[in-house]
Amino acid sequence: MTRLTVPPGSLFGPANLPYGVYSAAGAPPRIGTRYGDHVIDLGLLLGESGPDAVFAEPVLNPFMAQGHDRWIAVRRRIGAAVTGDVPEEAVHPADEVRMLMPFDVADYVDFYASEHHASNLGRLFRPDNPSPLMPNWKHLPVGYHGRAASVVVSGTDITRPCGQRKGPADPAPVFGPSARLDIEAEVGFVVGTGNPMGEPVDVADAGNRIFGAVLFNDWSARDIQAWEYVPLGPNLGKSFASTVSPWVVPLLALDAARVDTPPQEPAVLPYLALDRPWGLDIAVEIEWNGQVVSRPPYAAMYWSPAQMLAHLTVNGAPTRTGDLFASGTISGPARDQRGAFIELTWGGQEPVTVAGEPRAFLRDGDEVVLTATAPGADGTRIGFGEARGRVLPAGKDHRCT
Ligand code: MN
């Protein structure tokens, strides 16, 4: 047995206790939590019998499916266990394990919940419209269905996608590697207990069904997207890859991060109405080749996660354990709070300086890292780890010519 200590200022203290899946020395995947600088095996810490058999699984889905009461009870047990005698074989230095995809993604939907982002893109793409927001925007959380199979864990390389595009000056569409590869800094929410078909999630109950949150990079090929999206929305310009951070921060750990959303005016329809719709005070940072270029504030998001889940199911659509819905690009009011490069550089017209060079979109070899922190219990801060991805050149195997 051993006793664990947490370095002062650690973002993975007892107020966090996130869930992830790791592999040590190439061994099969195991479920763990992060405590200070260590990954702690939950099966070895808590046992694997009875309902705890879920900790012998290679993904979090069976545990998430056990529901909110069980999440509360297990979190208490982990909190008590990590501060006591811990079996030595359960403890791994965090930098000696490989983090894997923490859950099987059932379905994936991406929203568009930032008023600042939606307004900026409206001004960029529809400069002649009297209002930058579309008429529906303040009445429902706009979203589209993405591709669950291409959600990958932090550290997975991103191959530049090829596709069809047609610039304003091109007489006909051309095919080739995207020339406007971009990111979208978002927070993703993992559904723990879904709803049966025909039984929508009540907006007041949605918070009990969301298991936790991850960082989410919705890699976007703007040139492919611009040509394909009319009239049905994003498709191949997004579906080639999305990156999640490996630690799922429990919603229970984010109680202290709850804040009111900005005022919602006009009033929303009853199925979206809460006395006090809650957002989360998550401070995100975007690093481009090691340099912080933006700090998007999640607290500025107009639509709350509970409203997104209520809207997602109000037509009777079922959700399942492992469903992932992402917030959409997080942008604040200031320029250096914009969560996508197309917006940060105003369509490429106002480049940012990265390592002394003016830059607008991603080059091969570029690396983007999202990180985030939030207030935790007892005045501490908790961390999300990182969502990291490096751009590889479009390959021959992608039939790019
Ligand atoms: Mn997005």
Side-chain angles (χ1 to χ4, degrees), residues 330-378:
I330 308 158
S331 291
R335 186 190 178 203
D336 62 1
Q337 295 178 321
R338 296 175 187 163
F341 294 158
I342 192 169
E343 193 184 350
L344 184 64
T345 67
W346 211 250
Q349 302 162 49
E350 299 171 15
V352 289
T353 302
V354 178
E357 282 186 274
R359 301 294 300 277
F361 293 98
L362 290 164
R363 291 185 193 157
D364 293 343
D366 279 0
E367 187 169 62
V368 174
V369 181
L370 309 181
T371 59
T373 66
D378 307 323

mmCIF file of all heavy atoms in Angstrom, residues 330-378:
data_model
loop_
_atom_site.group_PDB
_atom_site.id
_atom_site.type_symbol
_atom_site.label_atom_id
_atom_site.label_comp_id
_atom_site.label_asym_id
_atom_site.label_seq_id
_atom_site.Cartn_x
_atom_site.Cartn_y
_atom_site.Cartn_z
ATOM 1 N N ILE A 330 -16.673 28.131 -29.059
ATOM 2 C CA ILE A 330 -16.803 29.049 -27.930
ATOM 3 C C ILE A 330 -16.102 30.352 -28.302
ATOM 4 O O ILE A 330 -14.898 30.344 -28.566
ATOM 5 C CB ILE A 330 -16.127 28.465 -26.671
ATOM 6 C CG1 ILE A 330 -16.620 27.045 -26.388
ATOM 7 C CG2 ILE A 330 -16.344 29.381 -25.478
ATOM 8 C CD1 ILE A 330 -15.661 26.236 -25.526
ATOM 9 N N SER A 331 -16.851 31.437 -28.324
ATOM 10 C CA SER A 331 -16.234 32.749 -28.549
ATOM 11 C C SER A 331 -16.790 33.740 -27.547
ATOM 12 O O SER A 331 -17.982 33.717 -27.238
ATOM 13 C CB SER A 331 -16.504 33.260 -29.968
ATOM 14 O OG SER A 331 -15.820 32.480 -30.918
ATOM 15 N N GLY A 332 -15.911 34.606 -27.066
ATOM 16 C CA GLY A 332 -16.335 35.714 -26.218
ATOM 17 C C GLY A 332 -16.399 36.982 -27.046
ATOM 18 O O GLY A 332 -16.189 36.962 -28.264
ATOM 19 N N PRO A 333 -16.686 38.123 -26.380
ATOM 20 C CA PRO A 333 -16.844 39.374 -27.118
ATOM 21 C C PRO A 333 -15.534 39.942 -27.678
ATOM 22 O O PRO A 333 -15.559 40.672 -28.671
ATOM 23 C CB PRO A 333 -17.442 40.328 -26.074
ATOM 24 C CG PRO A 333 -17.152 39.712 -24.742
ATOM 25 C CD PRO A 333 -17.059 38.241 -24.960
ATOM 26 N N ALA A 334 -14.399 39.606 -27.068
ATOM 27 C CA ALA A 334 -13.137 40.222 -27.504
ATOM 28 C C ALA A 334 -12.485 39.399 -28.616
ATOM 29 O O ALA A 334 -12.729 38.201 -28.755
ATOM 30 C CB ALA A 334 -12.176 40.342 -26.326
ATOM 31 N N ARG A 335 -11.643 40.060 -29.394
ATOM 32 C CA ARG A 335 -11.004 39.361 -30.509
ATOM 33 C C ARG A 335 -10.212 38.162 -30.016
ATOM 34 O O ARG A 335 -10.262 37.090 -30.608
ATOM 35 C CB ARG A 335 -10.082 40.321 -31.269
ATOM 36 C CG ARG A 335 -9.525 39.646 -32.514
ATOM 37 C CD ARG A 335 -8.412 40.414 -33.203
ATOM 38 N NE ARG A 335 -7.940 39.615 -34.349
ATOM 39 C CZ ARG A 335 -6.753 39.741 -34.900
ATOM 40 N NH1 ARG A 335 -5.899 40.612 -34.441
ATOM 41 N NH2 ARG A 335 -6.414 38.970 -35.914
ATOM 42 N N ASP A 336 -9.443 38.345 -28.927
ATOM 43 C CA ASP A 336 -8.596 37.247 -28.466
ATOM 44 C C ASP A 336 -9.372 36.220 -27.627
ATOM 45 O O ASP A 336 -8.789 35.438 -26.893
ATOM 46 C CB ASP A 336 -7.382 37.778 -27.702
ATOM 47 C CG ASP A 336 -7.763 38.541 -26.437
ATOM 48 O OD1 ASP A 336 -8.978 38.632 -26.139
ATOM 49 O OD2 ASP A 336 -6.851 39.041 -25.755
ATOM 50 N N GLN A 337 -10.705 36.249 -27.770
ATOM 51 C CA GLN A 337 -11.553 35.222 -27.150
ATOM 52 C C GLN A 337 -12.282 34.399 -28.212
ATOM 53 O O GLN A 337 -13.215 33.673 -27.880
ATOM 54 C CB GLN A 337 -12.582 35.878 -26.222
ATOM 55 C CG GLN A 337 -11.957 36.587 -25.027
ATOM 56 C CD GLN A 337 -13.002 37.258 -24.152
ATOM 57 O OE1 GLN A 337 -13.974 37.834 -24.633
ATOM 58 N NE2 GLN A 337 -12.818 37.177 -22.844
ATOM 59 N N ARG A 338 -11.866 34.511 -29.455
ATOM 60 C CA ARG A 338 -12.564 33.795 -30.525
ATOM 61 C C ARG A 338 -12.013 32.382 -30.661
ATOM 62 O O ARG A 338 -10.810 32.178 -30.679
ATOM 63 C CB ARG A 338 -12.428 34.562 -31.841
ATOM 64 C CG ARG A 338 -13.108 35.924 -31.791
ATOM 65 C CD ARG A 338 -12.861 36.706 -33.072
ATOM 66 N NE ARG A 338 -13.373 38.080 -32.947
ATOM 67 C CZ ARG A 338 -13.012 39.069 -33.755
ATOM 68 N NH1 ARG A 338 -12.147 38.846 -34.748
ATOM 69 N NH2 ARG A 338 -13.519 40.264 -33.585
ATOM 70 N N GLY A 339 -12.931 31.427 -30.816
ATOM 71 C CA GLY A 339 -12.558 30.013 -30.730
ATOM 72 C C GLY A 339 -12.311 29.302 -32.040
ATOM 73 O O GLY A 339 -12.116 28.093 -32.051
ATOM 74 N N ALA A 340 -12.316 30.019 -33.163
ATOM 75 C CA ALA A 340 -11.983 29.416 -34.458
ATOM 76 C C ALA A 340 -11.068 30.384 -35.197
ATOM 77 O O ALA A 340 -11.199 31.599 -35.053
ATOM 78 C CB ALA A 340 -13.240 29.140 -35.280
ATOM 79 N N PHE A 341 -10.162 29.840 -36.007
ATOM 80 C CA PHE A 341 -9.189 30.716 -36.674
ATOM 81 C C PHE A 341 -9.855 31.573 -37.754
ATOM 82 O O PHE A 341 -9.426 32.681 -38.025
ATOM 83 C CB PHE A 341 -8.043 29.894 -37.260
ATOM 84 C CG PHE A 341 -7.199 29.205 -36.210
ATOM 85 C CD1 PHE A 341 -6.430 28.091 -36.540
ATOM 86 C CD2 PHE A 341 -7.177 29.659 -34.896
ATOM 87 C CE1 PHE A 341 -5.657 27.453 -35.578
ATOM 88 C CE2 PHE A 341 -6.400 29.026 -33.928
ATOM 89 C CZ PHE A 341 -5.635 27.917 -34.276
ATOM 90 N N ILE A 342 -10.908 31.045 -38.381
ATOM 91 C CA ILE A 342 -11.582 31.835 -39.422
ATOM 92 C C ILE A 342 -12.166 33.120 -38.818
ATOM 93 O O ILE A 342 -12.207 34.164 -39.467
ATOM 94 C CB ILE A 342 -12.683 31.013 -40.127
ATOM 95 C CG1 ILE A 342 -13.158 31.727 -41.394
ATOM 96 C CG2 ILE A 342 -13.840 30.693 -39.194
ATOM 97 C CD1 ILE A 342 -14.037 30.892 -42.296
ATOM 98 N N GLU A 343 -12.535 33.008 -37.551
ATOM 99 C CA GLU A 343 -13.141 34.137 -36.854
ATOM 100 C C GLU A 343 -12.043 35.015 -36.239
ATOM 101 O O GLU A 343 -12.085 36.240 -36.318
ATOM 102 C CB GLU A 343 -14.040 33.539 -35.766
ATOM 103 C CG GLU A 343 -14.995 34.440 -35.094
ATOM 104 C CD GLU A 343 -15.725 33.664 -33.980
ATOM 105 O OE1 GLU A 343 -15.603 32.418 -33.905
ATOM 106 O OE2 GLU A 343 -16.389 34.324 -33.175
ATOM 107 N N LEU A 344 -11.046 34.361 -35.663
ATOM 108 C CA LEU A 344 -9.917 35.069 -35.054
ATOM 109 C C LEU A 344 -9.199 35.935 -36.094
ATOM 110 O O LEU A 344 -8.719 37.021 -35.784
ATOM 111 C CB LEU A 344 -8.959 34.041 -34.444
ATOM 112 C CG LEU A 344 -7.745 34.535 -33.678
ATOM 113 C CD1 LEU A 344 -8.162 35.314 -32.433
ATOM 114 C CD2 LEU A 344 -6.858 33.355 -33.278
ATOM 115 N N THR A 345 -9.098 35.445 -37.333
ATOM 116 C CA THR A 345 -8.365 36.166 -38.389
ATOM 117 C C THR A 345 -9.315 36.833 -39.377
ATOM 118 O O THR A 345 -8.889 37.276 -40.441
ATOM 119 C CB THR A 345 -7.439 35.210 -39.168
ATOM 120 O OG1 THR A 345 -8.253 34.281 -39.915
ATOM 121 C CG2 THR A 345 -6.520 34.444 -38.227
ATOM 122 N N TRP A 346 -10.583 36.861 -39.035
ATOM 123 C CA TRP A 346 -11.637 37.475 -39.844
ATOM 124 C C TRP A 346 -11.562 37.002 -41.302
ATOM 125 O O TRP A 346 -11.315 37.750 -42.230
ATOM 126 C CB TRP A 346 -11.598 39.002 -39.729
ATOM 127 C CG TRP A 346 -12.973 39.562 -39.868
ATOM 128 C CD1 TRP A 346 -13.461 40.286 -40.920
ATOM 129 C CD2 TRP A 346 -14.068 39.404 -38.953
ATOM 130 N NE1 TRP A 346 -14.804 40.566 -40.699
ATOM 131 C CE2 TRP A 346 -15.188 40.039 -39.501
ATOM 132 C CE3 TRP A 346 -14.202 38.748 -37.714
ATOM 133 C CZ2 TRP A 346 -16.431 40.060 -38.867
ATOM 134 C CZ3 TRP A 346 -15.434 38.772 -37.075
ATOM 135 C CH2 TRP A 346 -16.533 39.428 -37.665
ATOM 136 N N GLY A 347 -11.741 35.712 -41.449
ATOM 137 C CA GLY A 347 -11.743 35.106 -42.781
ATOM 138 C C GLY A 347 -10.362 35.055 -43.421
ATOM 139 O O GLY A 347 -10.243 34.869 -44.634
ATOM 140 N N GLY A 348 -9.324 35.224 -42.610
ATOM 141 C CA GLY A 348 -7.960 35.211 -43.142
ATOM 142 C C GLY A 348 -7.444 36.605 -43.468
ATOM 143 O O GLY A 348 -6.270 36.778 -43.788
ATOM 144 N N GLN A 349 -8.302 37.622 -43.346
ATOM 145 C CA GLN A 349 -7.888 38.990 -43.714
ATOM 146 C C GLN A 349 -7.041 39.663 -42.635
ATOM 147 O O GLN A 349 -6.325 40.625 -42.920
ATOM 148 C CB GLN A 349 -9.122 39.873 -43.946
ATOM 149 C CG GLN A 349 -10.077 39.387 -45.023
ATOM 150 C CD GLN A 349 -11.448 40.051 -44.879
ATOM 151 O OE1 GLN A 349 -11.559 41.267 -44.742
ATOM 152 N NE2 GLN A 349 -12.500 39.256 -44.896
ATOM 153 N N GLU A 350 -7.157 39.177 -41.384
ATOM 154 C CA GLU A 350 -6.403 39.787 -40.283
ATOM 155 C C GLU A 350 -5.603 38.705 -39.578
ATOM 156 O O GLU A 350 -5.998 38.220 -38.521
ATOM 157 C CB GLU A 350 -7.373 40.462 -39.297
ATOM 158 C CG GLU A 350 -8.207 41.572 -39.910
ATOM 159 C CD GLU A 350 -9.307 42.064 -38.974
ATOM 160 O OE1 GLU A 350 -9.254 41.750 -37.765
ATOM 161 O OE2 GLU A 350 -10.216 42.753 -39.466
ATOM 162 N N PRO A 351 -4.502 38.277 -40.187
ATOM 163 C CA PRO A 351 -3.752 37.141 -39.635
ATOM 164 C C PRO A 351 -3.283 37.395 -38.200
ATOM 165 O O PRO A 351 -3.157 38.541 -37.779
ATOM 166 C CB PRO A 351 -2.545 37.025 -40.577
ATOM 167 C CG PRO A 351 -2.929 37.757 -41.811
ATOM 168 C CD PRO A 351 -3.892 38.827 -41.395
ATOM 169 N N VAL A 352 -3.055 36.300 -37.478
ATOM 170 C CA VAL A 352 -2.407 36.399 -36.175
ATOM 171 C C VAL A 352 -0.939 36.019 -36.361
ATOM 172 O O VAL A 352 -0.583 35.325 -37.311
ATOM 173 C CB VAL A 352 -3.061 35.476 -35.122
ATOM 174 C CG1 VAL A 352 -4.427 35.987 -34.741
ATOM 175 C CG2 VAL A 352 -3.118 34.038 -35.594
ATOM 176 N N THR A 353 -0.107 36.468 -35.434
ATOM 177 C CA THR A 353 1.317 36.167 -35.528
ATOM 178 C C THR A 353 1.625 34.943 -34.673
ATOM 179 O O THR A 353 1.363 34.932 -33.472
ATOM 180 C CB THR A 353 2.146 37.372 -35.053
ATOM 181 O OG1 THR A 353 1.800 38.499 -35.857
ATOM 182 C CG2 THR A 353 3.639 37.097 -35.195
ATOM 183 N N VAL A 354 2.131 33.902 -35.318
ATOM 184 C CA VAL A 354 2.532 32.688 -34.613
ATOM 185 C C VAL A 354 4.001 32.442 -34.943
ATOM 186 O O VAL A 354 4.350 32.309 -36.120
ATOM 187 C CB VAL A 354 1.678 31.465 -35.051
ATOM 188 C CG1 VAL A 354 2.143 30.207 -34.329
ATOM 189 C CG2 VAL A 354 0.200 31.715 -34.778
ATOM 190 N N ALA A 355 4.828 32.433 -33.906
ATOM 191 C CA ALA A 355 6.273 32.264 -34.086
ATOM 192 C C ALA A 355 6.819 33.252 -35.119
ATOM 193 O O ALA A 355 7.609 32.904 -36.001
ATOM 194 C CB ALA A 355 6.607 30.828 -34.479
ATOM 195 N N GLY A 356 6.356 34.501 -35.025
ATOM 196 C CA GLY A 356 6.886 35.564 -35.874
ATOM 197 C C GLY A 356 6.308 35.608 -37.271
ATOM 198 O O GLY A 356 6.674 36.480 -38.065
ATOM 199 N N GLU A 357 5.389 34.686 -37.589
ATOM 200 C CA GLU A 357 4.848 34.648 -38.949
ATOM 201 C C GLU A 357 3.360 34.966 -38.931
ATOM 202 O O GLU A 357 2.635 34.511 -38.052
ATOM 203 C CB GLU A 357 4.995 33.242 -39.535
ATOM 204 C CG GLU A 357 6.367 32.881 -40.026
ATOM 205 C CD GLU A 357 6.301 31.529 -40.710
ATOM 206 O OE1 GLU A 357 6.417 30.499 -40.017
ATOM 207 O OE2 GLU A 357 6.097 31.512 -41.933
ATOM 208 N N PRO A 358 2.872 35.688 -39.951
ATOM 209 C CA PRO A 358 1.425 35.898 -40.047
ATOM 210 C C PRO A 358 0.728 34.612 -40.492
ATOM 211 O O PRO A 358 1.142 33.999 -41.478
ATOM 212 C CB PRO A 358 1.293 36.994 -41.121
ATOM 213 C CG PRO A 358 2.549 36.912 -41.928
ATOM 214 C CD PRO A 358 3.621 36.336 -41.047
ATOM 215 N N ARG A 359 -0.293 34.203 -39.739
ATOM 216 C CA ARG A 359 -0.953 32.921 -40.033
ATOM 217 C C ARG A 359 -2.467 33.096 -39.986
ATOM 218 O O ARG A 359 -2.996 33.852 -39.188
ATOM 219 C CB ARG A 359 -0.540 31.877 -38.980
ATOM 220 C CG ARG A 359 0.966 31.622 -38.908
ATOM 221 C CD ARG A 359 1.474 30.983 -40.167
ATOM 222 N NE ARG A 359 0.827 29.710 -40.397
ATOM 223 C CZ ARG A 359 1.191 28.550 -39.842
ATOM 224 N NH1 ARG A 359 2.237 28.504 -39.050
ATOM 225 N NH2 ARG A 359 0.539 27.449 -40.091
ATOM 226 N N ALA A 360 -3.163 32.322 -40.837
ATOM 227 C CA ALA A 360 -4.628 32.332 -40.810
ATOM 228 C C ALA A 360 -5.191 30.916 -40.687
ATOM 229 O O ALA A 360 -6.042 30.649 -39.850
ATOM 230 C CB ALA A 360 -5.178 33.012 -42.053
ATOM 231 N N PHE A 361 -4.718 29.997 -41.534
ATOM 232 C CA PHE A 361 -5.208 28.628 -41.456
ATOM 233 C C PHE A 361 -4.030 27.688 -41.188
ATOM 234 O O PHE A 361 -2.883 28.111 -41.110
ATOM 235 C CB PHE A 361 -5.963 28.272 -42.748
ATOM 236 C CG PHE A 361 -7.226 29.069 -42.895
ATOM 237 C CD1 PHE A 361 -7.256 30.211 -43.705
ATOM 238 C CD2 PHE A 361 -8.356 28.737 -42.181
ATOM 239 C CE1 PHE A 361 -8.414 30.972 -43.815
ATOM 240 C CE2 PHE A 361 -9.521 29.497 -42.278
ATOM 241 C CZ PHE A 361 -9.547 30.610 -43.095
ATOM 242 N N LEU A 362 -4.346 26.394 -41.013
ATOM 243 C CA LEU A 362 -3.329 25.450 -40.543
ATOM 244 C C LEU A 362 -2.455 24.925 -41.685
ATOM 245 O O LEU A 362 -2.958 24.584 -42.754
ATOM 246 C CB LEU A 362 -4.020 24.271 -39.836
ATOM 247 C CG LEU A 362 -4.664 24.629 -38.497
ATOM 248 C CD1 LEU A 362 -5.647 23.541 -38.073
ATOM 249 C CD2 LEU A 362 -3.593 24.826 -37.431
ATOM 250 N N ARG A 363 -1.160 24.854 -41.404
ATOM 251 C CA ARG A 363 -0.207 24.236 -42.324
ATOM 252 C C ARG A 363 0.096 22.821 -41.859
ATOM 253 O O ARG A 363 -0.049 22.488 -40.679
ATOM 254 C CB ARG A 363 1.106 25.022 -42.340
ATOM 255 C CG ARG A 363 0.994 26.371 -42.966
ATOM 256 C CD ARG A 363 2.391 27.001 -43.022
ATOM 257 N NE ARG A 363 2.298 28.409 -43.333
ATOM 258 C CZ ARG A 363 3.234 29.303 -43.024
ATOM 259 N NH1 ARG A 363 4.328 28.905 -42.379
ATOM 260 N NH2 ARG A 363 3.079 30.562 -43.349
ATOM 261 N N ASP A 364 0.580 22.001 -42.770
ATOM 262 C CA ASP A 364 1.025 20.659 -42.384
ATOM 263 C C ASP A 364 2.106 20.788 -41.311
ATOM 264 O O ASP A 364 3.002 21.633 -41.416
ATOM 265 C CB ASP A 364 1.596 19.919 -43.598
ATOM 266 C CG ASP A 364 0.513 19.625 -44.636
ATOM 267 O OD1 ASP A 364 -0.682 19.697 -44.295
ATOM 268 O OD2 ASP A 364 0.886 19.335 -45.799
ATOM 269 N N GLY A 365 2.023 19.952 -40.295
ATOM 270 C CA GLY A 365 2.994 19.993 -39.199
ATOM 271 C C GLY A 365 2.547 20.864 -38.039
ATOM 272 O O GLY A 365 3.110 20.778 -36.943
ATOM 273 N N ASP A 366 1.557 21.723 -38.248
ATOM 274 C CA ASP A 366 1.058 22.558 -37.135
ATOM 275 C C ASP A 366 0.422 21.680 -36.065
ATOM 276 O O ASP A 366 -0.152 20.629 -36.364
ATOM 277 C CB ASP A 366 -0.001 23.549 -37.638
ATOM 278 C CG ASP A 366 0.602 24.783 -38.293
ATOM 279 O OD1 ASP A 366 1.842 24.874 -38.361
ATOM 280 O OD2 ASP A 366 -0.178 25.644 -38.744
ATOM 281 N N GLU A 367 0.516 22.159 -34.837
ATOM 282 C CA GLU A 367 -0.107 21.444 -33.728
ATOM 283 C C GLU A 367 -0.996 22.411 -32.947
ATOM 284 O O GLU A 367 -0.591 23.532 -32.658
ATOM 285 C CB GLU A 367 0.952 20.854 -32.798
ATOM 286 C CG GLU A 367 0.350 19.965 -31.714
ATOM 287 C CD GLU A 367 1.416 19.178 -30.977
ATOM 288 O OE1 GLU A 367 2.277 19.820 -30.338
ATOM 289 O OE2 GLU A 367 1.404 17.945 -31.036
ATOM 290 N N VAL A 368 -2.205 21.958 -32.640
ATOM 291 C CA VAL A 368 -3.138 22.767 -31.850
ATOM 292 C C VAL A 368 -3.467 22.006 -30.573
ATOM 293 O O VAL A 368 -3.740 20.801 -30.600
ATOM 294 C CB VAL A 368 -4.422 23.071 -32.636
ATOM 295 C CG1 VAL A 368 -5.443 23.797 -31.753
ATOM 296 C CG2 VAL A 368 -4.108 23.906 -33.870
ATOM 297 N N VAL A 369 -3.410 22.716 -29.447
ATOM 298 C CA VAL A 369 -3.723 22.125 -28.144
ATOM 299 C C VAL A 369 -4.772 22.988 -27.450
ATOM 300 O O VAL A 369 -4.567 24.190 -27.268
ATOM 301 C CB VAL A 369 -2.469 22.031 -27.250
ATOM 302 C CG1 VAL A 369 -2.822 21.383 -25.912
ATOM 303 C CG2 VAL A 369 -1.355 21.261 -27.951
ATOM 304 N N LEU A 370 -5.886 22.368 -27.088
ATOM 305 C CA LEU A 370 -6.881 23.029 -26.256
ATOM 306 C C LEU A 370 -6.659 22.586 -24.817
ATOM 307 O O LEU A 370 -6.452 21.395 -24.558
ATOM 308 C CB LEU A 370 -8.309 22.643 -26.664
ATOM 309 C CG LEU A 370 -8.697 22.765 -28.130
ATOM 310 C CD1 LEU A 370 -10.173 22.361 -28.312
ATOM 311 C CD2 LEU A 370 -8.453 24.165 -28.646
ATOM 312 N N THR A 371 -6.709 23.533 -23.884
ATOM 313 C CA THR A 371 -6.695 23.209 -22.458
ATOM 314 C C THR A 371 -7.804 24.019 -21.796
ATOM 315 O O THR A 371 -8.326 24.970 -22.401
ATOM 316 C CB THR A 371 -5.349 23.555 -21.783
ATOM 317 O OG1 THR A 371 -5.103 24.955 -21.950
ATOM 318 C CG2 THR A 371 -4.202 22.759 -22.377
ATOM 319 N N ALA A 372 -8.156 23.651 -20.569
ATOM 320 C CA ALA A 372 -9.190 24.419 -19.874
ATOM 321 C C ALA A 372 -9.124 24.152 -18.382
ATOM 322 O O ALA A 372 -8.688 23.084 -17.937
ATOM 323 C CB ALA A 372 -10.584 24.046 -20.391
ATOM 324 N N THR A 373 -9.564 25.153 -17.623
ATOM 325 C CA THR A 373 -9.728 24.997 -16.178
ATOM 326 C C THR A 373 -11.067 25.591 -15.772
ATOM 327 O O THR A 373 -11.669 26.381 -16.511
ATOM 328 C CB THR A 373 -8.610 25.707 -15.381
ATOM 329 O OG1 THR A 373 -8.716 27.117 -15.582
ATOM 330 C CG2 THR A 373 -7.234 25.215 -15.797
ATOM 331 N N ALA A 374 -11.518 25.185 -14.586
ATOM 332 C CA ALA A 374 -12.798 25.675 -14.063
ATOM 333 C C ALA A 374 -12.704 25.717 -12.548
ATOM 334 O O ALA A 374 -11.876 25.019 -11.952
ATOM 335 C CB ALA A 374 -13.937 24.755 -14.503
ATOM 336 N N PRO A 375 -13.577 26.519 -11.908
ATOM 337 C CA PRO A 375 -13.595 26.500 -10.450
ATOM 338 C C PRO A 375 -14.054 25.133 -9.937
ATOM 339 O O PRO A 375 -15.007 24.565 -10.468
ATOM 340 C CB PRO A 375 -14.636 27.568 -10.079
ATOM 341 C CG PRO A 375 -14.903 28.343 -11.324
ATOM 342 C CD PRO A 375 -14.569 27.451 -12.465
ATOM 343 N N GLY A 376 -13.357 24.616 -8.935
ATOM 344 C CA GLY A 376 -13.766 23.374 -8.299
ATOM 345 C C GLY A 376 -14.262 23.667 -6.890
ATOM 346 O O GLY A 376 -14.345 24.834 -6.477
ATOM 347 N N ALA A 377 -14.594 22.613 -6.159
ATOM 348 C CA ALA A 377 -15.066 22.806 -4.783
ATOM 349 C C ALA A 377 -13.950 23.412 -3.924
ATOM 350 O O ALA A 377 -12.761 23.239 -4.219
ATOM 351 C CB ALA A 377 -15.510 21.470 -4.204
ATOM 352 N N ASP A 378 -14.340 24.117 -2.881
ATOM 353 C CA ASP A 378 -13.400 24.634 -1.875
ATOM 354 C C ASP A 378 -12.377 25.607 -2.451
ATOM 355 O O ASP A 378 -11.233 25.646 -2.004
ATOM 356 C CB ASP A 378 -12.651 23.474 -1.181
ATOM 357 C CG ASP A 378 -13.621 22.443 -0.624
ATOM 358 O OD1 ASP A 378 -14.686 22.868 -0.138
ATOM 359 O OD2 ASP A 378 -13.320 21.247 -0.684
#
